[in-house]
Amino acid sequence: MDLQPFGSLLAATTIGFGLSVVTLFVARRSGLAPVQASLIDTLQDNAAALTQRVSQLEAEVHRERTDREGLEVEVRRLRDALADLATENAELRRRLA
């Protein structure tokens, strides 16, 4: 059984992990930690703002839906009233004719 591919994979994984550790160490020493903290704070602020905006939009959708339902009820009422008036008008025309 040929173990060379497994050995190559193990070596590449070890080198990759070592480079990740070295990169993390260099980033911490070069002052990127405050930038990282600032970036995290900014992302948290953005997430809070987006959550607030989503809540606001949901409230607007609910308000518009409620308004639309109210208008639909009013339209039905007016249609019924118009139909009643049309019936009454037709009855009056028959009486006059």
Side-chain angles (χ1 to χ4, degrees), residues 13-27:
T13 303
T14 304
I15 291 170
F17 180 74
L19 288 174
S20 296
V21 170
V22 168
T23 302
L24 180 64
F25 177 72
V26 169

Side-chain angles (χ1 to χ4, degrees), residues 23-74:
T23 302
L24 180 64
F25 177 72
V26 169
R28 295 236 179 232
R29 292 203 35 113
S30 65
L32 291 179
V35 173
Q36 181 183 9
S38 174
L39 180 60
I40 289 171
D41 291 341
T42 301
L43 290 173
Q44 287 174 339
D45 291 345
N46 288 345
L50 286 172
T51 301
Q52 181 181 5
R53 180 67 177 145
V54 166
S55 297
Q56 180 185 10
L57 290 172
E58 287 173 343
E60 287 178 18
V61 166
H62 177 71
R63 186 172 39 255
E64 288 179 7
R65 185 177 295 138
T66 303
D67 291 347
R68 185 192 48 179
E69 290 170 355
L71 289 173
E72 288 172 351
V73 168
E74 184 67 15

Side-chain angles (χ1 to χ4, degrees), residues 3-15:
L3 296 178
Q4 185 178 1
F6 179 72
S8 296
L9 176 65
L10 184 61
T13 303
T14 304
I15 291 170

